[in-house]
Amino acid sequence: MKFYWNFVLFIALMILITFSNVISISDSNYITIELFKRESKKSISPEKRRALMAKKYYKLFKRDSVIPLVNEVNADLSYYGQITIGGQNFTVDFDTGSFDLWVPEIQCNSSQCGALNRFDPSKSPTFVPSRNSNFSASYGAGVTISGYRGHDTVIFGGISVINQTVGLAIVDGFSSLYEEDGILGLSIPIDNTNPGIMQSIKTQKLLNQTLIGFHLGRYKLNATDKSYMNLGGIDSNAYVGNIVYNNLVSQSQYSGTWTITLGDAQVDGVSIGGVNSPALIDTGTPFILGNSTQVSKILAMIPGSSFNNGTWWIPCGTTNVVSLVFNNISYQISPTELIITNNAIFPLNVSTCASAIQQSMFNGWVVGAAFLSNVYSVFDFDNSKIGFAETKAVLN
């Protein structure tokens, strides 16, 4: 999802061990879903942003902290795509950091849902109400989603997933903050009582491989770089070198999450002294959020950086390269992706810009689009692994 807090940001996560093997896989039988960058609908007060992410990881951390950053179009921070539910079209955020699939329902009042697409059960020949119909989600700061559940046919990347559970929001405080209609959660299910869409795809044997690959285009570096998600296979044209896979950390402790071990962080190739921390890999989070001590070490190694009003700032023209190390492989973050230049959210202080790396209130890390736009990422549901390779531009 996406969230951030008082001119700072977010939260973090997890623990332990990453095994992996270097594998080069290519399957031409994949489906490509084009993604679009999200655009902020209106400015949001710092107070409201502060809590927007608090509830997202509540079950993991058992406490609140933080909030999302709303991104402008072409900010290289958030991306969404299209699906069809019961013959009706919607845009959704493909979010590896959450579970539910939900969209606004036709009864959602216009003051909340505005011009968003809203699902009308009466227009769907395949809609079935759910016995356990109550549906709700909270994103902090009073932002609440509530309504009821149903089952319908969801067309996702051109394949039809039948009898898929869908949340239908009648109260949708989320919709005033973002351009997309709803969210399609891609985290791992804790049980089979409410399967996510990828679990339904696997059960219904709709793909040879139950995996997703993300190429998040970097508009700031190349305005013609496409953004898309591969469903059921890997696009060898989207990366260079080999995909290196990381096993998930203990699911008994971090069940249902795409959490791997972040081994180290570097600035211009110089280690901060090791990290060895659990890191949630979250396509729905814009930034990179980490342990305050470790983040401070990273930013202190960037000349001209400063910490003011709960936010780390760096020179807008910085050329320093920060890298994150997973499974002993160092992945560079382009200085362009490290710099946030959204004045509405982070007012510029002369020549300084907000850093895409910010500290959280927890010991773990949440690694979002600011990193993922630098790699081709693979989420393998069959083998419970996440793979990374250096990305390359895929042009229009």
Side-chain angles (χ1 to χ4, degrees), residues 86-141:
Q88 301 165 54
N89 296 326
F90 299 92
T91 58
V92 292
D93 174 29
F94 296 116
D95 183 13
T96 61
S98 67
F99 177 75
D100 288 301
L101 163 60
W102 65 266
V103 294
E105 202 258 21
I106 191 65
Q107 298 178 67
C108 182
N109 64 67
S110 59
S111 64
Q112 284 192 317
C113 291
L116 292 181
N117 297 306
R118 288 173 280 179
F119 181 78
D120 188 344
S122 68
K123 294 182 179 179
S124 171
T126 50
F127 178 76
V128 178
S130 174
R131 291 182 180 178
N132 181 15
S133 62
N134 292 335
F135 168 72
S136 64
S138 176
Y139 299 101

Side-chain angles (χ1 to χ4, degrees), residues 245-260:
Y245 284 85
N246 302 260
N247 284 354
L248 302 186
V249 301
S250 170
Q251 283 294 291
S252 63
Q253 186 169 3
Y254 301 111
S255 60
T257 66
W258 291 103
T259 304
I260 60 178

Side-chain angles (χ1 to χ4, degrees), residues 35-85:
L35 303 178
F36 304 89
K37 295 188 178 75
R38 187 176 68 224
E39 183 175 12
S40 170
K41 288 180 148 188
K42 65 180 184 180
S43 62
I44 305 170
S45 70
E47 292 75 17
K48 197 163 189 176
R49 286 199 187 89
R50 185 173 299 118
L52 276 180
M53 200 182 261
K55 294 296 183 181
K56 180 174 180 181
Y57 305 111
Y58 178 76
K59 291 182 180 179
L60 294 173
F61 296 118
K62 306 301 182 186
R63 61 178 288 184
D64 293 346
S65 62
V66 302
I67 252 182
L69 176 66
V70 179
N71 308 310
E72 290 185 336
V73 69
N74 298 329
D76 293 356
L77 291 174
S78 294
Y79 306 76
Y80 62 86
Q82 297 178 333
I83 64 171
T84 299
I85 303 173

Side-chain angles (χ1 to χ4, degrees), residues 203-217:
T203 300
Q204 296 173 31
K205 299 180 180 180
L206 300 176
L207 294 172
N208 292 329
Q209 300 179 91
T210 315
L211 60 78
I212 295 174
F214 283 94
H215 173 73
L216 304 182

Side-chain angles (χ1 to χ4, degrees), residues 2 20 29 99 114 149 227 313 324 344 360 389:
K2 45 232 113 199
S20 289
N29 297 318
F99 177 75
R149 297 184 190 275
S227 301
W313 304 87
L324 299 184
S360 73

Side-chain angles (χ1 to χ4, degrees), residues 5-9 292 295-296 299-300 304-314 357-360:
W5 83 155
N6 96 19
F7 281 171
V8 188
L9 314 355
S292 59
V295 167
S296 296
L299 276 299
S305 66
S306 61
F307 185 71
N308 296 303
N309 297 322
T311 300
W312 275 103
W313 304 87
I314 57 176
I357 302 175
Q358 296 287 341
Q359 64 186 39
S360 73

Side-chain angles (χ1 to χ4, degrees), residues 15-19 246-250 259-262 277-278:
I15 115 176
L16 271 166
I17 258 177
T18 299
F19 302 52
N246 302 260
N247 284 354
L248 302 186
V249 301
S250 170
T259 304
I260 60 178
T261 299
L262 174 61
S277 175

